[in-house]
């Protein structure tokens, strides 16, 4: 266990292998989110999201093929400085009590191993994703049927209420319209919905068992796919990195030598090859850097929009000027606790909203009902604008 945590030697730690395994799924989630945000302003990108599985499978097919061809490692493994090495396991009997002994010999990746690695890295995850989507659709359909009932069964019940001849004719018409391909597809979808949970549970359980054994240093294979291909993942040494660089240079020089055609066509093909090599060389860090840069730009602009859209806090407006007393209005008493109409201490004080002056409720109600104005400012008013005060100085 200390060997696993320390990370010494050529054997990768459990955390390195786990990070390399989770990188494609994390990259897919980041790319899907980025394209989804860009599709808000560019609707044509929704077509890419409609074929998300195919788009990502094609992208990973290019990256994995190039990585296995040049570095003998997957796209994620080469990013962490790991390499795949083929091992030949030969069984050798020692005696009656010993069952077998393993003799492991390191060898480079063969063409068949690279091809099968692409199948395990790209094709099988793509098929699993499609099966998962089919299972989700069938599950939603079953849930909807359990809640609302089957639409076809409802139509059959309605047809059964009619005469037998019309029911037989409608049933035969439906059977003729339903093609063999549609019925086969529905049957296959039902089979997938039934078998997929067991297949998924079995594959996940087997993968967990291999990861646990790898963590406990009981096996050299991190996943069942690597065991089936007889491949082990190791750290790349300095000599292997130098050999990889020289091998890439040799492969590309051979590809340039195989160019045919007139000089101008060779020049165009050479430029295209150079561009393709540059894109593939920087695809590992370029994709991750692009997603990180996109998230940074989104965070930057989102923060700016939040600052711009934040409501501006203005100071409260100054109070309006006090209403002016009309020359022909009733004069105000010097004692502010007295009513201007009855010159007595205010009883049940009430204010009129058009001016703000306070009177007795009975006095102001009677005056406004008769004259339809404020007695002090002579501003037009109604009894609906009288407000009772529950606290008067």
């Amino acid at each position: 266990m200390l060997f696993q945590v320390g990370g010494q030697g050529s054997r990768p730690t459990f955390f390195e292998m786990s990070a390399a395994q989770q990188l494609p799924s994390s990259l897919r989630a980041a790319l899907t989110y980025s394209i989804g945000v860009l599709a808000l302003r560019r609707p044509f990108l929704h077509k890419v999201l409609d074929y998300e599985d195919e788009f990502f499978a094609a992208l990973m097919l290019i990256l994995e093929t190039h990585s296995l061809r040049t570095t003998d490692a997957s796209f994620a493994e080469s990013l962490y400085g790991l390499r795949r090495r083929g091992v030949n396991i030969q069984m050798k009997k020692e005696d009656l009590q010993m069952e077998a002994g393993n003799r492991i010999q390191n060898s480079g990746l063969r063409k068949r191993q690279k091809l099968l690695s692409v199948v395990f890295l790209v094709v099988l995850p793509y098929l699993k994703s499609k099966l998962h989507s089919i299972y989700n659709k069938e599950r939603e359909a079953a849930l909807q049927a359990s809640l609302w009932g089957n639409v076809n069964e409802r139509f059959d019940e309605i047809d059964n209420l009619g005469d037998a001849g019309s029911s037989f004719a409608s049933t035969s018409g439906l059977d003729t319209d339903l093609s063999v391909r549609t019925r086969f597809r529905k049957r296959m979808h039902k089979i997938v919905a039934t078998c997929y949970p067991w297949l998924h549970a079995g594959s996940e359980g087997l993968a967990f068992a291999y990861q646990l054994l790898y963590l406990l240093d009981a096996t050299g294979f991190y996943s069942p796919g690597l065991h089936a291909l007889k491949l082990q993942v190791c750290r790349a040494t300095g000599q292997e990195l130098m050999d990889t660089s020289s091998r890439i240079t040799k492969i590309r020089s051979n590809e340039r030598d195989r160019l045919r055609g007139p000089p101008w066509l060779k020049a165009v093909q050479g430029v295209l090859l150079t561009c393709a090599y540059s894109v593939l060389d920087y695809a590992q860090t370029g994709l991750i850097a692009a997603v990180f840069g996109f998230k940074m730009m989104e965070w930057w602009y989102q923060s700016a929009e939040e600052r711009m859209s934040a409501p501006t806090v203005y100071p409260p407006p100054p109070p309006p000027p006090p209403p002016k007393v009309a020359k022909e209005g009733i004069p105000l008493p010097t004692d502010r606790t007295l009513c201007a109409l009855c010159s007595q201490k205010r009883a049940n004080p009430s204010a009129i909203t058009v001016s703000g002056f306070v009177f007795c409720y009975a006095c102001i109600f009677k005056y406004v009902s008769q004259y339809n104005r404020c007695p002090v400012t002579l501003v037009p008013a109604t009894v609906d604008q009288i407000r009772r005060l529950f606290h008067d100085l």
Side-chain angles (χ1 to χ4, degrees), residues 343-365:
S343 299
Q344 301 293 329
K345 188 173 180 64
R346 290 190 292 263
N348 196 3
S350 300
I352 185 167
T353 58
V354 294
S355 61
F357 291 107
V358 183
F359 309 90
C360 298
Y361 179 78
C363 298
I364 190 62
F365 186 84

Side-chain angles (χ1 to χ4, degrees), residues 315-385:
K324 296 181 179 180
V325 179
K327 294 182 180 180
E328 299 179 357
I330 298 176
L332 294 173
T334 55
D335 189 359
R336 301 226 173 178
T337 61
L338 301 180
C339 176
L341 293 175
C342 64
S343 299
Q344 301 293 329
K345 188 173 180 64
R346 290 190 292 263
N348 196 3
S350 300
I352 185 167
T353 58
V354 294
S355 61
F357 291 107
V358 183
F359 309 90
C360 298
Y361 179 78
C363 298
I364 190 62
F365 186 84
K366 182 178 179 181
Y367 185 89
V368 173
S369 299
Q370 184 177 359
Y371 298 102
N372 292 326
R373 64 184 182 183
C374 174
V376 178
T377 61
L378 303 182
V379 176
T382 61
V383 293
D384 295 335
Q385 295 174 325

